[in-house]
Amino acid sequence: AADVVQNRIQNSNLYRLVTAYHQHGHRMAKLDPIGLVNNRIPSIPELSTESYGLNFQDSTKYSVKGIIDCNQQEATIAEIVDYLNKVYCNNVAVEFAYIKDAEEREWFRSNYEKCLERKISSEHKSRIMEMLIKSQTFDQFLAKKFPHIKRYGGEGAESMMVFFDEIFNQAMQDGIENAFISMPHRGRLNFMTGLLHFQPGAMFSKMMGKSELPPSAKGTGDVLSHLFKTVDLTVKDKTLHVSLLPNPSHLEACNPVACGKARARQLSIRDADYNEADVTNKTLCLQIHGDASFAGQGIVTETLMFSEVPHFRVGGSIHLIVNNQIGFTTEAEKGRSSLYSSDVGKIIDCPVIHVNGDNPEDLAKATELAFLYRQKFAKDVIIDLICFRLWGHNEMDEPAFTQPLMYESIYSKISVPDSYAKSLEESEIISNDRVTAIKDDYTSMLNSELKNVENSKIEISHLQKQWSGYVQASHENTIWDTGCDQNTLLFVGAKSVEVPDSMTVHPRLRKTFIESRLEKLKSTTNMDWATAEALAFGTLLLQGFNVRISGQDVGRGTFSHRHVMLVDQKTDEVYIPLNNIISDQKGFIEIANSTLSEEAVLGFEYGMSIESPKNLVIWEAQFGDFFNGAQIIIDTFITSGETKWLLQSGLVMLLPHGYDGAGPEHTSCRIERFLQLCDSKESQIDGDDVNFNIVHPTTPAQYYHLLRRQMLRNFRKPLVIASPKILLRYPDAVSSLEDMMPNKHFQPVLGDHSVDADKVERIIFCSGKHYYALDKQRKSLKANNVAIIRLESLCPFPTQLIEKELSRYKNAKVFIWNQEEHQNMGPWSFISPRFEKQIGLKLLYTGREALACPAVGIGSIHKEENAKILTAPFQVQ
């Protein structure tokens, strides 16, 4: 308003002082509950009245309109400074002055000052006290009954319970229906039993070494601090579905998973067109962090950086840093280079609210502000709860070995729950008898749960609701008819390149992509990889499934082959033909060109995949070996998530692979590493129940059937595809529509029907695009006594199909494995013992020799190696 601007101009020096408090007040705040940081606070020249020509003793009344919100129109300099110190330099402090948008910055300032004035009712204070006391009582009970269990208790950080209670209540009042939470180990058990209704007896049973999984389920379970819970909370006829996701020990790895699950839920409940990538306010993502990991783990930055990117944004996450002021045994000043652990959030202008953990009421106010900000601006916001850790990293550690002064201060403190209860007693809000009764009743309940632990029920949470009707895979090898009728394929194929008349398509794409595809469809032959993929996507969409493909440059494709999204050359507008197949289309495709991140983006896609079995979620690496930037997600979620937590995922990973002279980093998707991660047995035939599938398809039809099988099976397994590079346009690597029609399916083994089986004396087994080079070599040698058999599936290992194919060759005497990869890489180490132990066949190896890196970087050596591996399998005896 004009009068506000005029007042700021008239009292410009005063306004500069107030602005300085906005920028620097947090540096003078009393944020440390153990007093170590507070004793080292320097003087801040920017907060001196003299710096602005103002006199602290001046009794003049200044108009404060538009400058501060102190419930009075005028105030002296002393009154203003007192107010600023109380608001910006007390037990709560904020950082927001770097927010670029002036309106957003002003909103935050005004609402922060208003939130601090919020009155906490006696009833609310009593509820806060009860939560804190119960959390403390729970920890004390576990310490007594299970003294040797690593429980990672919440002692010193009990105030975090207030954050959750406040968030849940605010969410329900505002109409939010879903909350997805990522959380590390600290205080996790307290949260689950205290607010998420996790049965203590079931937790005690786990502590006694018993399984948390239903007897009928196949899995190994996980450790105590990785337990998870899904619950519907109801307050005053409003319900909030809360899902605390399972977490690995790798701190912060669960953050993007929670975001992905929230995004998938948002897409499933909204009516907007996929092209727009809008989100709703019905779903909330909460991310709980530790101070050392938030500052130290790169996945935090990666997740923050896609928080406002189309197809990844979730309407803002609310972050809570449970700041113990120490990471394991590393002090804060040695654990980061920044002042605060929350400083990484500033890269996206994320406002930060610092709260002294000794003040649970202040945390309630801060949580309300964070929630209001998120709802208003749909952006991330951070609460930094500065507290302490009563014990070491776990309860068996002795922290005084490395932090004697810190723990001298901690051990001398009265606990937060006891301190808060005492303050309420002194205010006559509660009585000491009431506090004692809460402790006694809660302890009695816990004792009862422990006494009846044998009767505790194992909650069945897997394959429920949207997963109802799905099963855990059996040990059989099932075959699924994944073909479609020709008319449907022709219709979808034509629609996959149909664009509005008003759209200006790049002339090269119109000729080599649109017109070329239509010609192929007309002939019903020569279907290339991109066409087969489009047919798989389109037919699934017509069946009501959704498709999402994510990664760097996936819309066009790294190798400019996909073009599933087309860009108008005059307007830059994007058009996705597959989202316009029919007028009442139910399934849609989302093309998520991602940030240049692997770990966080793959974690996000995993979260998308575990939300619903109706979503075909694909992550494509720019080059196959780039997956290793996401190794934590692969190890701890994708390949082991069902085994540990019974969470099924149908996530597909496309990893471009092939030795074509591109050098060490653009050649191999490290097939050997994935084979090492699978639970296939060397001496036992595999079934559908392997932990994930690893394939190396050589034809577009095989790829088509794989994608459709992911959705049509009645169970879900992650799928790793060593996908092609040169085969995308290789003339021989094509399929016909007939290969994709009914009664057709993915073939784990592709036999050789180009030679007379009775004349075959030598059999070469291979996998992937190398087949085409071998076939070309065979033709040049006119080696009609050689059969080449392709292993399209590596896991499950297709023992019976290999035996069936071998039975055709009665006169074969020499059996060879030939691969492009070096001997210490590729499938060799995996397939060799299985051929020997399951099939009784000892293969000869022909391929590159062992090497430290996946491929050479010298072109002449690459050519020499190629010549050798193509000659050897036809000569070796």
Side-chain angles (χ1 to χ4, degrees):
D3 55 343
V4 167
V5 174
Q6 183 59 38
N7 191 49
R8 289 175 176 176
I9 293 172
Q10 187 173 338
N11 296 293
S12 57
N13 283 344
L14 175 59
Y15 185 56
R16 288 172 61 211
L17 172 65
V18 172
T19 301
Y21 269 87
H22 297 165
Q23 295 173 332
H24 304 288
H26 61 91
R27 294 163 61 192
M28 291 287 287
K30 303 169 183 139
L31 298 174
D32 182 10
I34 54 178
L36 297 181
V37 175
N38 294 343
N39 293 335
R40 300 197 295 269
I41 293 176
S43 61
I44 310 296
E46 291 88 345
L47 303 185
S48 167
T49 54
E50 289 81 2
S51 297
Y52 307 96
L54 301 173
N55 186 348
F56 190 79
Q57 307 300 325
D58 185 0
S59 60
T60 304
K61 294 277 189 176
Y62 291 86
S63 171
V64 295
K65 186 172 185 178
I67 297 177
I68 58 174
D69 292 331
C70 62
N71 296 322
Q72 57 190 78
Q73 297 297 314
E74 296 180 332
T76 65
I77 296 298
E79 289 171 334
I80 292 169
V81 170
D82 180 64
Y83 172 81
L84 292 172
N85 283 327
K86 181 180 73 172
V87 172
Y88 292 98
C89 306
N90 210 334
N91 295 321
V92 183
V94 288
E95 294 182 90
F96 68 96
Y98 44 79
I99 294 176
K100 296 179 182 64
D101 185 85
E103 181 182 350
E104 182 182 336
R105 192 168 60 244
E106 180 61 21
W107 182 97
F108 191 88
R109 177 205 65 78
S110 177
N111 281 271
Y112 167 64
E113 294 180 10
K114 291 174 183 175
C115 273
L116 289 186
E117 297 299 321
R118 170 188 167 190
K119 301 298 181 185
I120 305 292
S121 69
S122 296
E123 180 184 1
H124 191 178
K125 291 180 179 181
S126 181
R127 189 170 81 248
I128 289 174
M129 179 276 300
E130 186 170 338
M131 284 189 293
L132 299 181
I133 290 295
K134 284 183 176 179
S135 180
Q136 176 176 266
T137 302
F138 179 76
D139 275 325
Q140 292 171 345
F141 181 87
L142 294 185
K144 182 179 179 181
K145 301 295 184 180
F146 300 94
H148 302 299
I149 290 290
K150 295 179 181 179
R151 52 188 166 83
Y152 304 102
E155 293 152 301
E158 292 93 346
S159 291
M160 76 166 82
M161 303 294 281
V162 178
F163 166 83
F164 289 116
D165 180 70
E166 184 72 24
I167 279 288
F168 293 160
N169 279 283
Q170 292 280 350
M172 281 185 268
Q173 290 174 25
D174 210 49
I176 286 178
E177 298 171 355
N178 307 281
F180 296 100
I181 308 172
S182 62
M183 183 183 187
H185 47 280
R186 180 74 56 207
R188 188 179 178 97
L189 306 186
N190 309 62
F191 173 46
M192 292 173 66
T193 54
L195 292 178
L196 299 188
H197 307 317
F198 194 101
Q199 186 186 3
M203 193 170 286
F204 299 154
S205 175
K206 176 67 176 175
M207 292 178 183
M208 293 174 176
K210 298 177 182 177
S211 174
E212 72 274 25
L213 305 181
S216 60
K218 293 181 287 186
T220 61
D222 204 347
V223 297
L224 180 67
S225 55
H226 298 173
L227 293 176
F228 57 101
K229 175 69 175 177
T230 297
V231 65
D232 290 332
L233 303 178
T234 302
V235 175
K236 297 179 180 178
D237 298 327
K238 293 193 175 182
T239 300
L240 178 68
H241 177 77
V242 179
S243 180
L244 174 65
L245 274 64
N247 63 302
S249 293
H250 294 70
L251 298 173
E252 310 294 342
C254 194
N255 301 347
V257 178
C259 291
K261 199 165 193 308
R263 170 77 182 178
R265 180 61 57 89
Q266 289 170 331
L267 290 177
S268 70
I269 64 177
R270 71 182 176 82
D271 297 321
D273 183 358
Y274 263 53
N275 291 350
E276 298 302 321
D278 290 333
V279 295
T280 70
N281 282 324
K282 300 293 184 183
T283 299
L284 175 65
C285 183
L286 303 177
Q287 297 179 41
I288 316 304
H289 314 277
D291 49 316
S293 58
F294 194 76
Q297 290 294 314
I299 195 170
V300 172
T301 307
E302 291 183 27
T303 306
L304 288 170
M305 287 307 291
F306 65 50
S307 64
E308 295 177 41
V309 170
H311 308 290
F312 290 90
R313 54 184 171 224
V314 295
S317 291
I318 299 178
H319 304 260
L320 174 71
I321 300 174
V322 180
N323 191 338
N324 297 313
Q325 305 188 72
I326 188 172
F328 211 127
T329 64
T330 303
E331 299 94 337
E333 58 267 25
K334 296 178 182 176
R336 60 178 184 267
S337 298
S338 60
L339 179 59
Y340 299 112
S341 59
S342 57
D343 282 347
V344 66
K346 295 175 183 176
I347 60 176
I348 58 167
D349 285 358
C350 191
V352 180
I353 312 167
H354 304 282
V355 184
N356 186 315
D358 274 0
N359 299 274
E361 291 181 19
D362 287 337
L363 179 58
K365 297 174 183 179
T367 303
E368 179 187 29
L369 174 63
F371 181 82
L372 292 174
Y373 174 84
R374 186 265 180 186
Q375 294 300 92
K376 172 73 173 176
F377 297 102
K379 294 171 65 176
D380 286 39
V381 57
I382 296 171
I383 297 176
D384 180 20
L385 178 64
I386 302 172
C387 46
F388 59 91
R389 190 184 67 197
L390 182 59
W391 309 111
H393 176 68
N394 62 67
E395 288 72 19
M396 267 64 78
D397 276 350
E398 175 47 75
F401 287 160
T402 50
Q403 281 77 36
L405 296 182
M406 172 183 280
Y407 276 86
E408 181 182 2
S409 176
I410 289 172
Y411 292 151
S412 67
K413 278 179 63 67
I414 183 174
S415 73
V416 175
D418 288 344
S419 175
Y420 187 68
K422 183 178 179 181
S423 70
L424 296 192
E425 290 174 32
E426 292 172 351
S427 302
E428 299 183 347
I429 293 174
I430 59 163
S431 65
N432 181 261
D433 290 343
R434 171 64 179 148
V435 177
T436 302
I438 292 171
K439 292 179 180 179
D440 292 345
D441 290 348
Y442 202 61
T443 302
S444 176
M445 182 275 292
L446 294 173
N447 272 315
S448 176
E449 288 280 322
L450 182 58
K451 182 179 179 181
N452 297 293
V453 70
E454 295 295 336
N455 299 323
S456 62
K457 295 181 179 179
I458 296 176
E459 181 180 339
I460 298 177
S461 60
H462 70 297
L463 303 179
Q464 303 293 308
K465 295 185 177 179
Q466 66 267 35
W467 286 87
S468 179
Y470 290 81
V471 300
Q472 278 198 289
S474 71
H475 193 61
E476 297 177 1
N477 283 290
T478 55
I479 296 175
W480 298 80
D481 182 354
T482 47
C484 291
D485 66 85
Q486 180 168 308
N487 288 337
T488 299
L489 293 172
L490 289 172
F491 175 73
V492 168
K495 285 290 186 177
S496 72
V497 289
E498 184 178 276
V499 298
D501 293 337
S502 60
M503 183 174 182
T504 304
V505 179
H506 193 286
R508 192 188 308 170
L509 284 182
R510 182 169 291 280
K511 180 178 180 180
T512 63
F513 182 69
I514 296 177
E515 294 176 3
S516 173
R517 178 168 297 178
L518 293 174
E519 288 174 7
K520 290 171 184 174
L521 290 167
K522 187 176 180 179
S523 69
T524 73
T525 59
N526 297 325
M527 301 299 155
D528 58 14
W529 220 268
T531 301
E533 182 183 73
L535 293 175
F537 288 169
T539 52
L540 287 172
L541 297 178
L542 286 181
Q543 289 176 264
F545 295 101
N546 296 312
V547 177
R548 173 184 167 94
I549 183 165
S550 165
Q552 298 146 31
D553 318 304
V554 294
R556 188 201 77 160
T558 298
F559 309 102
S560 195
H561 72 286
R562 180 174 290 120
H563 298 290
V564 74
M565 52 175 278
L566 297 169
V567 181
D568 191 301
Q569 297 298 295
K570 293 184 177 179
T571 66
D572 262 359
E573 290 185 8
V574 171
Y575 185 78
I576 300 175
L578 286 173
N579 278 340
N580 298 275
I581 301 175
I582 56 176
S583 59
D584 60 344
Q585 191 164 323
K586 298 295 188 296
F588 294 95
I589 185 169
E590 186 172 28
I591 312 302
N593 285 322
S594 75
T595 56
L596 214 161
S597 152
E598 281 78 39
E599 185 179 4
V601 169
L602 186 57
F604 188 96
E605 304 312 322
Y606 174 80
M608 293 279 296
S609 73
I610 62 174
E611 162 61 16
S612 171
K614 299 295 186 182
N615 298 332
L616 174 61
V617 181
I618 303 170
W619 177 75
E620 183 175 58
Q622 195 172 54
F623 286 90
D625 55 327
F626 288 1
F627 80 86
N628 55 20
Q631 195 68 57
I632 289 173
I633 300 298
I634 294 167
D635 290 349
T636 62
F637 287 101
I638 296 171
T639 61
S640 59
E642 184 178 3
T643 303
K644 294 187 292 186
W645 311 313
L646 304 183
L647 289 180
Q648 292 192 23
S649 164
L651 177 69
V652 178
M653 295 175 61
L654 298 179
L655 307 178
H657 174 89
Y659 281 61
D660 48 18
E665 274 78 57
H666 286 123
T667 295
S668 172
C669 74
R670 296 284 194 174
I671 293 173
E672 66 279 357
R673 294 189 180 175
F674 289 99
L675 292 171
Q676 188 180 46
L677 287 170
C678 74
D679 60 4
S680 168
K681 310 296 190 297
E682 283 189 4
S683 302
Q684 180 180 317
I685 294 176
D686 291 338
D688 289 339
D689 57 348
V690 291
N691 58 329
F692 68 110
N693 297 167
I694 307 167
V695 297
H696 200 173
T698 56
T699 74
Q702 288 279 77
Y703 178 49
Y704 160 91
H705 288 297
L706 282 166
L707 293 178
R708 287 186 48 78
R709 189 181 71 171
Q710 280 297 96
M711 291 290 97
L712 298 183
R713 295 195 292 195
N714 62 346
F715 59 89
R716 294 289 176 264
K717 290 287 181 180
L719 173 63
V720 173
I721 300 179
S723 55
K725 294 184 288 180
I726 66 168
L727 292 193
L728 294 172
R729 296 181 177 86
Y730 195 68
D732 290 341
V734 293
S735 301
S736 68
L737 281 187
E738 185 179 354
D739 298 328
M740 306 178 198
M741 287 168 63
N743 302 316
K744 297 295 176 66
H745 56 85
F746 171 70
Q747 299 180 65
V749 176
L750 286 180
D752 193 341
H753 297 281
S754 65
V755 293
D756 185 343
D758 291 336
K759 296 180 180 179
V760 168
E761 298 176 353
R762 178 183 297 261
I763 296 177
I764 302 172
F765 292 92
C766 67
S767 186
K769 81 161 178 77
H770 190 50
Y771 161 77
Y772 292 98
L774 286 170
D775 186 45
K776 184 178 180 181
Q777 179 75 354
R778 176 176 59 179
K779 289 175 181 176
S780 69
L781 296 173
K782 298 181 180 179
N784 297 324
N785 63 340
V786 177
I788 305 173
I789 299 175
R790 287 171 272 179
L791 268 62
E792 302 279 289
S793 172
L794 295 169
C795 180
F797 186 71
T799 302
Q800 294 162 317
L801 293 174
I802 294 172
E803 289 177 330
K804 182 180 178 181
E805 183 62 22
L806 281 172
S807 69
R808 297 176 54 228
Y809 307 100
K810 308 297 184 183
N811 301 312
K813 301 179 183 63
V814 182
F815 303 91
I816 299 159
W817 177 261
N818 187 242
Q819 65 179 35
E820 294 186 295
E821 299 85 0
H822 293 274
Q823 190 169 5
N824 57 326
M825 303 171 197
W828 168 246
S829 296
F830 178 84
I831 63 97
S832 177
R834 284 163 178 77
F835 265 94
E836 190 166 349
K837 294 178 181 180
Q838 296 184 28
I839 301 174
L841 203 59
K842 190 173 180 63
L843 299 178
L844 298 173
Y845 172 81
T846 57
R848 286 175 166 86
E849 297 177 355
L851 194 70
C853 58
V856 299
I858 300 170
S860 59
I861 298 178
H862 170 74
K863 290 180 180 178
E864 290 173 10
E865 288 180 337
N866 260 357
K868 183 178 179 181
I869 66 173
L870 288 175
T871 302
F874 295 94
Q875 296 178 346
V876 67
Q877 297 294 330

